[in-house]
Amino acid sequence: MSESFNEEIIEDSPAAPSGDVEMTEGGAETAAAEDGDAPANKDELPFAEESADSPPPPRVTFLQYLSSPIVTLIVGTGDQETILTAHQSLLVQSPWFAEACADFTDDGSPRQIELPNDDIDAMGCFLEFLYTGDYFPKKVPGQHSLEKDPSIPEVDLTGEQLLKHARVYTIAEKFGLTNLKNLASSKIHCVNSTAKGEIAYARYVYEFTSKDDTTIRAPVANFWATRSHTLRAEAEDEFRNLCLEFPQFGYDVLTRVLDEKLKRERNEKMHPGTGSARKRPRHSSQA
């Protein structure tokens, strides 16, 4: 999806010195640090830089994170069930996992969390982000593009690349990692897709995100409001079915189309045309 259709593009800042992740740091961390007793923001990676105005907390080495207990994650169900493992000290950077891990005891019982409804590939990206501060494919610094790889087609014909980042976005929303949400959103706008790919992506967004989540929904509606007259012909049946399946999508697109029409009409009233200065054609005097 083109970057130009995102109303609320979030400029990100690096979260880890070793990666090129772009993330946003909120002002809450600084305020909490000034209180002295306030806890650190759990959305931060363990390697994030602290505010220059507050004394830095004792440094936690990466080795200390790796020395923490191992947690078993059971992702999916049935034939799709996959077992993953991760270090607890990294998992608890997520408020969701911090709450889940709070129930563990040190009596030797298994540290296990079941995630039957989560996507395994999105979970892999989530864990990759916790350990490295980014996930594949990375953004190219200074460009609205992602790193090239033979496994990734130049054009996302089916929408699978858009869906990959959308799934990372929704899993980051579930686990409470704002930085990962911002990163996934920024990568979505680096994918060059087709009309059918965009429809598959729009269907996922309107099925699995909140109605109030304008960060991801607004760019989808803007995209189709701007290009539906050209892209609809490439996937007219799919576009119609999407509007019928998710009336909110059709309403959002129509609202933006009408808003743009009203805007043009106001501009025309404020700046009316001067009309043609061309004189009437002179009739020939020849018989």
Side-chain angles (χ1 to χ4, degrees):
M1 173 175 287
S2 172
E3 187 81 27
S4 61
F5 301 101
N6 189 357
E7 284 184 338
E8 301 182 19
I9 297 300
I10 302 176
E11 293 297 334
D12 306 318
S13 59
S18 61
D20 59 353
V21 189
E22 297 185 358
M23 304 176 197
T24 301
E25 292 185 2
E29 292 87 339
T30 302
E34 291 176 352
D35 291 338
D37 296 331
N41 188 339
K42 293 180 181 179
D43 284 346
E44 286 190 4
L45 283 173
F47 325 110
E49 296 181 359
E50 297 293 331
S51 169
D53 298 331
S54 61
R59 179 177 178 272
V60 181
T61 66
F62 192 66
L63 181 60
Q64 288 175 289
Y65 285 103
L66 298 183
S67 300
S68 65
I70 296 294
V71 178
T72 299
L73 306 175
I74 303 178
V75 185
T77 57
D79 295 339
Q80 302 300 318
E81 183 179 288
T82 304
I83 297 178
L84 305 174
T85 58
H87 292 87
Q88 181 171 314
S89 291
L90 286 173
L91 282 177
V92 297
Q93 301 304 312
S94 152
W96 191 95
F97 278 105
E99 182 177 351
C101 292
D103 296 332
F104 294 152
T105 61
D106 295 326
D107 60 0
S109 57
R111 296 173 182 264
Q112 181 173 298
I113 299 175
E114 295 184 1
L115 303 166
N117 300 318
D118 291 310
D119 180 78
I120 182 61
D121 291 329
M123 273 302 302
C125 294
F126 170 79
L127 294 176
E128 184 179 358
F129 177 81
L130 285 183
Y131 278 88
T132 69
D134 205 342
Y135 70 92
F136 175 82
K138 296 180 179 180
K139 293 177 64 177
V140 178
Q143 302 180 29
H144 292 305
S145 61
L146 302 175
E147 61 185 353
K148 305 297 182 183
D149 186 89
S151 65
I152 304 176
E154 290 290 335
V155 178
D156 184 19
L157 298 176
T158 62
E160 190 55 38
Q161 290 302 310
L162 288 172
L163 291 174
K164 170 181 180 174
H165 301 301
R167 292 182 185 115
V168 173
Y169 181 96
T170 53
I171 210 169
E173 169 73 16
K174 172 182 176 178
F175 295 145
L177 284 188
T178 302
N179 289 341
L180 180 56
K181 277 180 59 180
N182 294 341
L183 178 62
S185 177
S186 69
K187 290 187 177 185
I188 286 170
H189 301 285
C190 296
V191 176
N192 180 22
S193 188
T194 62
K196 292 186 178 181
E198 293 286 352
I199 285 177
Y201 167 65
R203 176 174 282 105
Y204 179 90
V205 167
Y206 275 81
E207 181 174 358
F208 294 105
T209 65
S210 167
K211 178 181 177 181
D212 299 327
D213 191 349
T214 57
T215 299
I216 194 168
R217 286 196 173 201
V220 172
N222 289 342
F223 180 88
W224 282 101
T226 307
R227 293 194 175 183
S228 59
H229 61 288
T230 56
L231 294 181
R232 188 180 63 184
E234 300 178 26
E236 186 166 0
D237 290 340
E238 292 87 345
F239 181 80
R240 180 177 59 254
N241 292 337
L242 178 60
C243 292
L244 294 174
E245 185 178 356
F246 297 100
Q248 185 65 47
F249 168 76
Y251 175 81
D252 290 346
V253 172
L254 179 60
T255 297
R256 283 158 174 78
V257 171
L258 295 178
D259 286 347
E260 184 61 28
K261 182 176 183 293
L262 290 174
K263 181 180 178 180
R264 288 197 304 268
E265 291 176 350
R266 285 196 300 266
N267 289 337
E268 290 173 358
K269 290 180 180 179
M270 293 176 61
H271 306 285
T274 58
S276 175
R278 186 179 60 186
K279 296 180 180 180
R280 288 184 297 172
R282 181 177 299 174
H283 295 284
S284 174
S285 59
Q286 296 180 355

